Amino acid sequence: MVVRYSHPPENGHDGVELADHLEDVARRVRETIDDDAETPAGESLRNVVETLAYVHDFGKATTFFQEYLLDSTEPEFKQYRYHAPAGSFAAYYALDAQGFDTETCLAGFVAVAKHHGQLPDVIKYIHGRSYRRENVSPGSLNSDEQLQTAIAKQLEDINTHVPTLAAELFEEATDGAGSWEAFRMSFTDGLLDEIASTVETTGSGVTTNRDSLSDTCYGLILECWGSLVLADKTSAASRSEDTGSSSTYDAQPASMEVLDEYVDELESSSPANPDGSRTERLNHYRSRARSAVIANAKGFAEEGGGVATLTLPTGMGKTLSGLSGAQTIRDKLDGERIVYALPFTSIIDQVVDEIEDIYETDTLGRLLTAHHHLSETKIRDEDDLGADKADKKDDVAGMLAESWRAGITVTTFVQLFESLAGPANKQSMKIPALRDSVVILDEPQSLPLDWWKLVPRLVTILTEQYNATVIAMTATQPQLFDATTERIDNVSELVDDPDVYFEATDRVQYELDTSAERYIETQSEPKAYVDAGAELLSAVDAGASTLAVCNTIDSARTLFDELTGSRRSLLSVGDVYADELDAGGTAADIDPEALATRIKSQSDVSILHLSTRLRPLDRLKLIETAKELTDDEHGLITVSTQLIEAGVDISFDRVYRDLAPIDSIVQAAGRCNRSFEREQGRVVIWWLDVPDEQKKTPAEAVYNRGATLLPVAAETLDSVREEDRQLSETAVARTAVKEYYRRLHADKNVGKKEYVEYVDDLHGNELRELSLIDQRNAVDIIICRTEAERRQVEQVRDAWKHYEFDRVRRLMDELKQLRVSIPIYRGESGKKEKIGQLNQVHQDTDVLCLDLREHGLNQYFDRNTGFVIPDSTAERRIL
């Protein structure tokens, strides 16, 4: 009997027979797609993708592919061994034979064609692959026509060598409604023309018709494709050995009962009284807010869900209220999963830690996953631990976690929205988990302005096609989802009256520095760093812990240097931390509480610098140490870039913020009097001067590129202030925020309309070029500060020398917390040359290694400010 393999015998494993693999993928589809999931045409999505599963690798049945698979023998024409193209035409035929809608058939065609690739310009792709000219000589065929000829040759080969296998597969794929013989005969006798005609306009010539497919087609293709890729890849990683049972893909939903018990315990130890002390009043309002959110979430779910907002100020328990609302909606709508998306990796750990505490779990099980580029992302069952097949289990465990199969996945906006907008092949595996899910968008105002029209469009795919619910949660709603948003209707606010909570907190008083006044009036005379430094020192001398948030790394370094230069007696937290490492410790072993105790024993006042030039592991330890210091009312001055603004749980008596958009100012204010330690904190808005060797103030350099945001922010602040320079929290966080976003939408028309058109017109090629992260050339550098870290790098190099590439990948993942990314801008050849003097970690990676024990390399690193370019005159840039 002729055997056809989908995956060859290798590494001690038997080969996987093609029929077994196709049946296994179909079985996995049945376990990952609910039987009530429907296409836009009201058809069974499960039946659609199950059909695709039976034919997606059909092209592997050729002798051309088998010879290449088993012996690496190339056929006369390499197109003969391609398997996805033949499968894509089989997919269209099999769906059409069962009577599925034409658009569904086309979605299946693209999903199978690209099950190892990325989404193309769909309409152009469909037409190109199926259109054929008449009376063209073989030598004049274009590449698509050559591929059509190759497919015809493949079908002839299959019919000659394995016709019974083909007949059985088509019987399964079409549920008896079609046949192998009918497909084979129709391929060049009607099928190609039929497919091409679905997306073309005839007239003086044949052209593609951009209006031929509906605006739901992109979401349909995405879900068919992602569901097929998930089933196929997990089957291949398991070599079709397990049953693909539901337990493989099941989530462990987070229990609302456990969350209620956790909150009850918190509230029992924190008395609440609307007429009591400030702390008791705040506890009352936190409890009131959560109760309101739960009650409103029930009504919202009963009406079918959709899009909701949750608007609460800092300190009102937004995370717990958001989780409570999400779980209420999930339970009411019989969902399984919650996706909690945040703007930055730096704040994910804080949310994850809280969820771990609530549920007494970690991120390696089926309840909770943390998914971002610095995390270990795996779902392991207890009986997998220590298993003999660890490598295979790791592959599957990683795929399951990165496919968001856990009950709660905490991730970034990048992972969420780039998986909806032209995702890479592996990213598409998340799509099935989004159906019937509840998605929390925490701090959506942090999304790039260019995406402000696209994000609501992607949200309509989630809510209208995937039956998901979306909650936009922030203190500063950017009006992405309101009555004026196209395609989104009836947005519900889960908080009865947000203004009540802003008035109740009244944590801070805002003040405009004279330099900010001058920007509003004349846009001249920013604040000199020497004056800014003097004001910060005066504040800390008066007993106030103080935070200064700068707009660029250069600005933060300039201010830090001014402070340490004018008062050399200031104890540096970074120096004390470095001494611990130099003494033979490891960063992981440093106890922030003990480090803070040591700092307090040496001085009453200290200073800390924070930016992305510090390693992620060091930043985390330093922030935890700073929190210990501020909690103990130590006189700490912290100079930071914006990284400290979003969700970092630390509180200062005073915050100084360089001029910025209103939402950034409010975010910075969230680090002031955060825990209500005093009656009211003070937030000062100033306008810092141009750092050395720069041409613009940091505020203008960052926020006046593209849409000029600073004038809008300044005009808004001016419009809400009274005669003096002070502003109440409600005036800024509510009145100014609403007016600022109104002006952005009405006057600036923020967001790129063409991004929405890419979705509507199915330009997968254009969508995959978009990124939430500012794309620039950058060099990643692993910085080794301890002997243990040096040994980790040596282990990577040893594994690479011995061709242990899976081990290399795992070890490199473990080093992500030691990695910094340095941008290289146009015209910075000198900077690139300096960085290029560092060694690669190994020869197959662009990641460099800075080992501080090597002679002469200390000049690349500062104990306080992190990675530096050795040449002090080198042009510095914004991160």
Side-chain angles (χ1 to χ4, degrees), residues 769-809:
E769 296 300 318
L770 306 182
S771 178
L772 282 160
I773 301 173
D774 186 16
Q775 294 296 305
R776 52 181 175 246
N777 292 324
V779 178
D780 283 353
I781 302 169
I782 292 171
I783 301 175
C784 296
R785 300 183 67 177
T786 69
E787 188 59 39
E789 293 161 0
R790 294 169 190 126
R791 286 196 296 269
Q792 282 182 276
V793 172
E794 289 306 318
Q795 288 174 353
V796 173
R797 289 169 172 163
D798 180 71
W800 182 82
K801 287 177 183 176
H802 290 88
Y803 307 103
E804 298 171 352
F805 299 121
D806 286 342
R807 184 165 168 249
V808 169
R809 176 179 53 79

Side-chain angles (χ1 to χ4, degrees), residues 180-283:
W180 158 242
E181 184 66 16
F183 167 66
R184 184 175 69 85
M185 296 302 294
S186 70
F187 178 68
T188 55
D189 188 19
L191 183 62
L192 289 173
D193 294 338
E194 177 184 337
I195 295 174
S197 68
T198 63
V199 292
E200 68 185 14
T201 299
T202 56
S204 57
V206 177
T207 59
T208 55
N209 178 10
R210 283 288 166 192
D211 297 324
S212 58
L213 300 179
S214 73
D215 60 6
T216 61
C217 192
Y218 175 79
L220 174 61
I221 292 172
L222 201 62
E223 192 168 22
C224 291
W225 179 53
S227 300
L228 177 62
V229 171
L230 173 64
D232 185 36
K233 286 189 181 299
T234 51
S235 175
S238 302
R239 298 190 68 84
S240 305
E241 290 177 13
D242 66 48
T243 62
S245 65
S246 60
S247 62
T248 303
Y249 303 98
D250 280 353
Q252 178 186 344
S255 166
M256 186 66 173
E257 183 179 350
V258 172
L259 179 56
D260 283 340
E261 290 173 357
Y262 177 84
V263 173
D264 288 344
E265 187 175 336
L266 287 179
E267 292 182 348
S268 66
S269 61
S270 306
N273 184 344
D275 300 316
S277 67
R278 179 177 176 80
T279 299
E280 290 173 341
R281 293 198 310 272
L282 291 169
N283 288 337

Side-chain angles (χ1 to χ4, degrees), residues 375-395:
S375 62
E376 179 187 17
T377 309
K378 289 182 171 62
I379 289 180
R380 286 199 183 105
D381 292 319
E382 289 185 8
D383 59 1
D384 285 344
L385 301 179
D388 292 336
K389 299 177 181 179
D391 285 347
K392 185 181 76 175
K393 292 292 185 184
D394 273 354
D395 286 342

